[in-house]
Amino acid sequence: MNTSGWLQLAFFSIVLLALTRPMGLYLVQVLDVNGKTWLDPALKPVERLVCRAAGIDPAQEQDWKGYAVSLLIFSLVTMLLTYFILRLQYFLPLNPQGLSGVAGDLSFNTAASFTTNTDWQNYAGESTLSYLSQMVGLAFHNFISAAAGIAVAAALVRGIARDKAATVGNFWCDLTRICLYLLLPICLVFAVFLVSQGIIQNFSAYQSARVVEPYTAQVPKKDASGNVVHDAKGKPVIKEIKVETQTIPQGPVASQVAIKLLGTNGGGFFNANAAHPFENPTPLSNFFQMLAIFVIPAGLTYYLGRMVKNQKHGWSVWAAMFFLFLVGVLICWEAESHGNPRLAALGVDQSMGNMEGKEVRFGAFNSALFATITTAASCGAVNSMLDSFTPLGGLVPMFNIQLGEVVFGGAGAGLYGMLVFVVLAIFLAGLMVGRTPEYLGKKIESFDIQVAALAILVPIVFLLGFTALAAATPWGVKALGNAGPHGFSEILYAFTSCFGNNGSAFAGLAGNTFWYNLTLGLMVLIGRFLVIVPVLALAGSLAAKKTVPVSAGSFPVSGVTFALLLVGTILIVGALTFFPAISLGPIVEHFLMVNSNKLF
Amino acid sequence: MDLLWIVMSVLFFVICLAYAGFLAKEGKIWKT
């Protein structure tokens, strides 16, 4: 932990804090059908045209059921569209490499993953997907899935802010305005900036170049289906290959990178994601990519405060999120900067920290910071390989996701997830002091707690169930790249990542198998929609309630006490739910690393 | 096999719609 790292962390935090208010104020206008933005002269005619063509009446609002049905049907249709694009990409244009159609199970997994803002990738983009698949099949989802998440958050905030209302907004109108006024303009500017930093944006065929120093590499042998071949002991069969030439992939990268970060999607154009020099070439691009991940989720907390006319509440939620983020960064950075004691004992220099799986240009600090941000915010882009982190360093990203992606969280998903915890925290506080729970003048009743509990618990049941199933079956274990607790961590991380719609991976798991494509595909759908449905039910329930004036007896929802209560509730739920599982993975691996010679 | 994935996708969203219907019904019960 060095001075440079501390200064960068402080600078990042200050810039994030400074951007929260302007982004929040802009969101207030974007998420209001009558809102005014400085882009109106250019975009208002486009919005009107889209609404007229799609038959959207912005004045006609929906109740929570109508909102939910619109979102679900829209998601299903766009998911099937992506499925067919992937399956038929060989026959479609913009495929200069002549890549064949994607297999059915992988297409299902990928379509589900991008529909849900997860971007879990059981493939390498450069060797599997055409440019059309990347742009129309996937980048399109990066926009609309982020917009859908923000729309749900806005619906919940409206539910809290409104008094005896039957409606929570118009999904189609919200979706259109978020894409038009928020995501597209920022992405346009951001993509141009990324091009200035060296990220490519073209439709050229891949280039071939001779490497300066040919070398021999040892790689796992794969069968015709692309699966790693194992020997009788279950270890991967290794073969040697001589490498003399290198394929340099091309493509429309900058445009996809911009939205993958701003929309907290995370799906890389290349397999190495933000560690690839064409996706993240400079320290400046790295800084702005991290900032882009957090800026909308942070701004949404200000939007919350403004909408409920209690700005201190918005800042308290921001502070709770920032506290959890800061603790995560410091633990991860500390673990990575100390390096691996077993490698140090072998004489490997650990003065720069644990550099396995990290880019030298980013180092231990920027790798730890990026990993914490990307997993706190449901993004999933990575600039280092999480599988190579120390056990405790890898625990932080995993636990971030397991907390429910509420540490700033995904675009929209972070705020609505956090507000579910707010309702739960207020309910627990009410139980402790013997008062009727009340949130900003709305009484929290049985149904509200029911749906809040369902939103938190139902996906967790599937996450732990699928993890147990995979850990106990041959198909689950066969895909592992490592044995022991680290192998278990790979399985747990995969389902955790899909549960939280994060999409980052402990890369040791070869997930492109029928069963993993099926179970992880189902997990991303469950993690997204079985949360959104009860959240919208909560929005509808709160909207219908009468708002009573805040009095001396009302529970305070701002200040240090409230922020600590919120943090405590999140940590207790996360710890009680996941401590047994993470004990079997990263925690036992840490003790084995420190107290024995075992490495996994 | 395509049919399997398509049916599974549609089925999942039908379950979600039914879930929303169930919660709507539960909400009315609790309100009364």
Side-chain angles (χ1 to χ4, degrees):
Chain A
M1 297 175 87
N2 50 25
T3 310
S4 163
W6 284 109
L7 288 174
Q8 288 181 69
L9 181 59
F11 185 64
F12 176 83
S13 305
I14 291 166
V15 175
L16 180 69
L17 181 65
L19 286 176
T20 298
R21 186 172 183 271
M23 176 53 79
L25 290 173
Y26 188 66
L27 283 165
V28 170
Q29 299 302 321
V30 171
L31 296 170
D32 178 355
V33 69
N34 299 313
K36 304 269 184 254
T37 75
W38 58 275
L39 290 169
D40 281 3
L43 294 179
K44 202 70 184 173
V46 182
E47 184 192 354
R48 285 200 200 99
L49 186 69
V50 171
C51 287
R52 198 172 303 149
I56 303 168
D57 178 4
Q60 192 172 0
E61 291 211 340
Q62 298 166 300
D63 63 8
W64 79 265
K65 298 184 287 293
Y67 207 94
V69 169
S70 299
L71 185 143
L72 290 169
I73 290 175
F74 177 71
S75 299
L76 171 63
V77 170
T78 53
M79 179 179 160
L80 291 177
L81 176 72
T82 296
Y83 177 85
F84 285 115
I85 288 173
L86 298 178
R87 292 287 286 144
L88 300 171
Q89 71 172 5
Y90 182 78
F91 302 102
L92 297 171
L94 292 177
N95 186 5
Q97 299 306 118
L99 295 166
S100 59
V102 181
D105 56 337
L106 183 57
S107 294
F108 166 76
N109 183 283
T110 306
S113 175
F114 277 75
T115 302
T116 56
N117 200 253
T118 308
D119 293 22
W120 174 270
Q121 295 169 293
N122 274 337
Y123 60 87
E126 59 267 48
S127 59
T128 312
L129 299 184
S130 71
Y131 295 158
L132 186 92
S133 295
Q134 294 264 24
M135 293 172 71
V136 181
L138 306 188
F140 161 70
H141 268 299
N142 286 351
F143 280 94
I144 60 169
S145 65
I150 296 169
V152 173
L156 181 55
V157 172
R158 289 182 196 125
I160 297 164
R162 290 179 177 180
D163 182 28
K164 289 196 286 185
T167 59
V168 293
N170 182 317
F171 171 74
W172 306 107
C173 192
D174 286 340
L175 192 76
T176 307
R177 285 185 63 82
I178 293 164
C179 285
L180 267 183
Y181 291 94
L182 182 69
L183 300 177
L184 279 167
I186 299 178
C187 281
L188 187 65
V189 175
F190 192 29
V192 171
F193 165 76
L194 292 173
V195 168
S196 79
Q197 294 300 297
I199 294 187
I200 58 172
Q201 180 75 15
N202 61 45
F203 291 103
S204 306
Y206 294 179
Q207 309 285 314
S208 186
R210 286 190 66 79
V211 295
V212 177
E213 293 178 356
Y215 62 96
T216 303
Q218 291 185 327
V219 296
K221 191 177 177 183
K222 293 185 177 177
D223 61 20
S225 308
N227 299 318
V228 175
V229 177
H230 293 80
D231 61 17
K233 293 179 180 174
K235 292 187 175 177
V237 176
I238 301 298
K239 66 172 184 179
E240 287 193 345
I241 57 166
K242 192 170 186 189
V243 180
E244 293 178 327
T245 59
Q246 183 182 8
T247 301
I248 312 290
Q250 304 291 314
V253 182
S255 55
Q256 187 153 322
V257 168
I259 185 59
K260 94 169 180 189
L261 299 155
L262 190 72
T264 65
N265 302 278
F269 195 94
F270 304 117
N271 195 32
N273 210 297
H276 195 292
F278 282 172
E279 282 206 42
N280 191 6
T282 66
L284 198 60
S285 70
N286 191 60
F287 178 80
F288 277 98
Q289 291 195 13
M290 292 189 292
L291 203 57
I293 296 172
F294 264 2
V295 68
I296 291 178
L300 278 167
T301 61
Y302 193 88
Y303 165 77
L304 167 71
R306 184 53 70 105
M307 291 295 289
V308 300
K309 297 184 175 58
N310 185 343
Q311 206 61 64
K312 284 182 181 172
H313 176 53
W315 282 118
S316 297
V317 172
W318 189 96
M321 290 174 166
F322 185 78
F323 176 78
L324 287 167
F325 156 69
L326 198 60
V327 171
V329 171
L330 295 180
I331 293 173
C332 190
W333 183 22
E334 165 75 8
E336 292 310 296
S337 62
H338 276 186
N340 187 324
R342 297 274 71 81
L343 291 179
L346 292 171
V348 180
D349 182 16
Q350 298 287 290
S351 61
M352 288 175 69
N354 172 32
M355 286 302 292
E356 182 194 316
K358 292 185 179 65
E359 285 283 293
V360 174
R361 61 206 166 104
F362 297 138
F365 170 73
N366 270 300
S367 300
L369 181 62
F370 200 113
T372 309
I373 290 170
T374 197
T375 49
S378 181
C379 180
V382 287
N383 74 352
S384 56
M385 296 303 111
L386 305 184
D387 200 35
S388 294
F389 274 35
T390 57
L392 290 187
L395 170 65
V396 171
M398 195 187 311
F399 196 57
N400 268 344
I401 307 171
Q402 289 169 343
L403 291 180
E405 294 289 26
V406 295
V407 186
F408 291 103
L415 183 65
Y416 67 67
M418 186 56 120
L419 290 177
V420 169
F421 275 108
V422 168
V423 168
L424 197 62
I426 288 170
F427 171 67
L428 293 174
L431 286 180
M432 285 189 279
V433 298
R435 282 184 194 164
T436 303
E438 183 190 305
Y439 176 39
L440 292 165
K442 303 269 176 131
K443 280 188 179 168
I444 303 299
E445 297 169 299
S446 306
F447 179 72
D448 307 312
I449 296 302
Q450 273 188 334
V451 289
L454 285 172
I456 293 171
L457 295 177
V458 169
I460 287 173
V461 170
F462 284 94
L463 156 60
L464 294 175
F466 278 140
T467 302
L469 182 69
T473 48
W475 63 262
V477 178
K478 200 176 153 190
L480 292 175
N482 299 79
H486 196 81
F488 179 74
S489 293
E490 287 172 352
I491 295 176
L492 180 62
Y493 194 97
F495 286 104
T496 297
S497 178
C498 290
F499 145 84
N501 295 148
N502 183 275
S504 63
F506 259 32
L509 185 79
N512 188 17
T513 66
F514 176 88
W515 286 107
Y516 270 114
N517 280 328
L518 171 64
T519 51
L520 292 172
L522 288 174
M523 192 67 248
V524 296
L525 292 170
I526 291 165
R528 175 78 163 182
F529 297 108
L530 295 194
V531 175
I532 281 180
V533 169
V535 162
L536 286 174
L538 180 64
S541 171
L542 292 174
K545 291 176 196 285
K546 180 176 166 47
T547 306
V548 295
V550 176
S551 67
S554 302
F555 184 80
V557 288
S558 59
V560 176
T561 309
F562 169 73
L564 287 177
L565 176 73
L566 187 56
V567 168
T569 306
I570 294 164
L571 288 177
I572 288 168
V573 171
L576 286 177
T577 310
F578 291 105
F579 189 72
I582 57 178
S583 297
L584 295 172
I587 292 179
V588 73
E589 188 186 354
H590 170 76
F591 285 114
L592 286 170
M593 181 184 78
V594 172
N595 298 319
S596 75
N597 279 322
K598 282 188 181 291
L599 283 177
F600 296 94
Chain B
M1 284 299 278
D2 283 325
L3 196 62
L4 169 74
W5 302 113
I6 293 164
V7 168
M8 192 179 300
S9 305
V10 173
L11 196 60
F12 176 82
F13 282 94
V14 169
I15 291 168
C16 287
L17 288 168
Y19 188 37
F22 167 74
L23 292 180
K25 196 175 148 195
E26 282 291 297
K28 277 179 191 160
I29 291 168
W30 283 102
K31 290 286 176 296
T32 54

